[in-house]
Amino acid sequence: MLTPTDAAPVYRRVLDELIPQAWHHVEQYANNPIEADHSQLKHRLRPMRGLRTDRTTQVIIAGHAFMQNLRRGHYELAVDAPPATRVSTAFAELAQPI
């Protein structure tokens, strides 16, 4: 199991206690994919100046997760479309029955 984190000394001790088989990867920039995924969500939320209620938080996070999964091809929508046009093709497919 790979656990990329920053190089804080506490992580090694805690991971050794909780998950002894984990490999603690402390190379610089190792956790960038994780941070990059969060940055897209933060980028969308910044114009809204934060989330006001728990309900709006839930809706925004669910919508963001849906769009990410759709863009990555995790649904049976627009599976033949290239990644650049997958979202628009999927919404066109969803609009056809309506």
Side-chain angles (χ1 to χ4, degrees):
M1 173 188 290
L2 174 67
T3 55
T5 62
D6 58 17
V10 70
Y11 286 131
R12 181 173 303 282
R13 184 174 44 101
V14 170
L15 285 172
D16 286 344
E17 287 177 17
L18 296 177
I19 312 170
Q21 70 274 16
W23 173 48
H24 186 206
H25 188 56
V26 294
E27 179 182 321
Q28 187 176 15
Y29 308 120
N31 65 342
N32 273 5
I34 297 164
E35 294 296 326
D37 190 48
H38 290 114
S39 71
Q40 290 182 5
L41 180 59
K42 288 179 186 177
H43 178 72
R44 292 178 192 274
L45 295 178
R46 193 161 287 125
M48 296 172 51
R49 292 193 173 89
L51 301 169
R52 305 286 183 207
T53 66
D54 289 341
R55 176 72 180 138
T56 56
T57 304
Q58 182 181 16
V59 169
I60 293 295
I61 291 174
H64 178 75
F66 173 73
M67 293 302 292
Q68 288 292 91
N69 289 337
L70 183 63
R71 194 173 289 121
R72 291 175 182 156
H74 294 299
Y75 300 118
E76 293 181 15
L77 294 167
V79 289
D80 297 330
T85 61
R86 189 171 287 145
V87 173
S88 61
T89 306
F91 277 97
E93 286 180 17
L94 288 170
Q96 284 177 353
I98 297 173

